[in-house]
Amino acid sequence: MNKIIIRKTEALNEWRRNLKSDINFIPTMGNLHDGHQKLISTAKNSNCYTNLLSIFVNPLQFENKEDLESYPKTIDKDIEIAFSNGADAIFIPNTIDIYPKNNKNNCYLKASKELSSALCGLSRAGHFDGVCTVVYRLLKLIQPRNLYLGEKDWQQLLIIRNLLEEKKFNVNIISVPTQRDYDGVPFSSRNKLLSKNEREILKLFSNEISNAKKIFKKDKKIDLKQLTKKLKSKNISIEYLEHLHPYSLKKVQAEDNITILAGAIKCGKTRLIDHVFLMKRNPIIAIDGPAGSGKSTITKLIAKELNLLYLDTGAMYRAISWFFKKEKIDYDKDSELKKILNNISIVFKSNSLYQQDVFINNICVTEAIRSQEISSIVSKISSIKKVREFLVNAQRKIGESGGLVAEGRDIGTTVFPDAELKIFLTASIDERAKRRKSELELRGPEKIDFNQLRELIRKRDFDDSTRKISPLTKANDAIELLTDGYSINEVVEKIINIYNLKIPKEIQFE
Ligand code: PAF
């Protein structure tokens, strides 16, 4: 594709009309650095759409003329960087193109009050209104499929996300983690304005907050007063330093697992921001749902894609059922059950096919636990209080430090009620019976009767949802996904998109 520079909105409209592909849009104010390069290369590597970068120093988001005029402008170099990193087109409008004089279509937007009344919003009156106005205007002109934004400006990202949700503007926001220089300082166009000494101060600040993150990992708490004192003792001029909920930007609550430590400092005349996300434990995804809803396949794929541990709790109940059957344990008489359970160990191990094998007391039962014989008793066995308690404890132990996706029937309600993302995956009984039939047919010569399978699933649903202990119910905060008619990949993509809205990219692969 020919690289093109567009300067006028009419030319942009014309180009847009003739374009056959969707657009990845990367809005910038120029002075491109490694942070922008990452946005462009992420866009380039995520699909085959056309990558359009805009360079527009938006006067509405500057507090004063001096700040606007001193903003670094390096247009020739920007063009070179953008094209060489994968931009196909660059839109470089003038102020008059974006805000035509006396145009009744100009509309000036307001940022969310809640989100803009914290952090930078406190001292930069009108800044986020200006950002909302320009981004919305650019999006209306460009109509992209994807919008790429850096997590470096986390508050801006939240405000734009909120605006587009409110306006029901159909675009995927793809966020990209903060990129840091060799000394730990986040890339920012304003870094150019710093003297050597000021850069040293910024470095101290960034290093201190990244150190606070390390301490938090160990201690699970942060002493904001002490940190502020320490920064002040190093002559760092703090505008704010806050520990907040990462999405509401409200003060942290004791139960918050992921939080943000964000600060702004003044280095000479330049104002700079930085943040880190703090986590008590890594994120957990809970996927619950009835038998045959596709949980296993989907959970495995999500684990692979997001590099999370895969916890198949159903396999644990099946392994116990297999063991009880093999050892002819009379599980209705529970006097000995506790002792028996305490001598059981269930372990998952990755096999050479990049899948997981299940071992119970060192016997590999991966295949054996999937037989219809086990399917017909597992619901009963998993409703035994002692079995449940034993396995819920074992599962919580595995999930202690998070970083996993667990599937089952009571993950979101009982095992990990504080999971960051809870999905309740369902499908109609017919759809599930159809899926189970093809799955079993692939596995072996056992003759499968569709109606019998349908009946088995119906009964299993009934047993699971009416049992006294941990019945199959959707957690109040779970998102229900009905998967009839969707391909596996479509469901996986949906879940990952929701995960991306709940977990900053910056901490997804820690
Ligand atoms: O982050 C920026 O560079 C700007 O605020 C943006 C999003 C390009 C709007 O002018």
Side-chain angles (χ1 to χ4, degrees), residues 26-30 36 54 56-58 61 71 127 130-131 134-135 138 149 153 156 160:
I26 306 122
T28 81
M29 297 208 295
H36 296 112
S54 68
F56 177 63
V57 183
N58 172 33
Q61 65 187 84
Y71 197 82
H127 166 73
V131 171
V134 76
V135 170
L138 288 166
L149 294 170
D153 296 302
Q156 167 175 285
I160 294 176

Side-chain angles (χ1 to χ4, degrees), residues 14 43 52 67 90 92 166 173 200 230 259 279 308 331 349 355 365 373 379 431 467:
E14 172 77 14
L52 170 69
D67 193 24
I90 309 179
I92 316 177
E166 240 171 44
I173 299 184
E200 270 309 300
K230 191 166 176 200
T259 51
M279 281 191 289
L308 297 170
Y331 43 80
K349 282 186 200 162
Q355 300 207 338
V365 290
E373 201 185 8
S379 184
E431 173 85 16
R467 70 178 175 224

